[in-house]
Amino acid sequence: MTSNATKRTIPNGLVQLLEGFVLVVLRDKPEDLVQYASEYFNSAKRRRNSLASHGASVDELGVDFFTATDWNGLV
């Protein structure tokens, strides 16, 4: 049996990005998950861009710095 399955790799930062999102969803329990996701990821993008505009390296700070919100201790 031959397989034509393509090996897929998980992009760097994806697990942390989604982990932060899932934690705030569990905390906030939004009624409109799609709207919440849109706002969450737009906010993450603004924070990333703000860091870059101030000369900070997102790679050095790590993905959690700009994706996770104040969920520490909540889960």
Side-chain angles (χ1 to χ4, degrees):
M1 177 179 216
T2 57
S3 173
N4 292 331
T6 303
K7 182 178 179 181
R8 296 197 169 103
T9 58
I10 297 172
N12 289 337
L14 178 61
V15 171
Q16 295 88 346
L17 179 71
L18 295 177
E19 201 171 58
F21 175 67
V22 167
L23 288 171
V24 295
V25 165
L26 293 173
R27 177 194 68 191
D28 296 344
K29 299 174 183 60
E31 289 185 30
D32 186 340
L33 186 56
V34 172
Q35 180 64 34
Y36 187 88
S38 175
E39 292 170 5
Y40 178 86
F41 289 110
N42 281 322
S43 177
K45 184 177 179 181
R46 282 191 305 275
R47 285 183 292 223
R48 182 192 64 197
N49 291 343
S50 178
L51 285 171
S53 72
H54 289 91
S57 168
V58 174
D59 292 333
E60 290 174 12
L61 294 171
V63 70
D64 283 342
F65 185 81
F66 68 89
T67 58
T69 56
D70 297 327
W71 53 262
N72 289 338
L74 297 175
V75 176

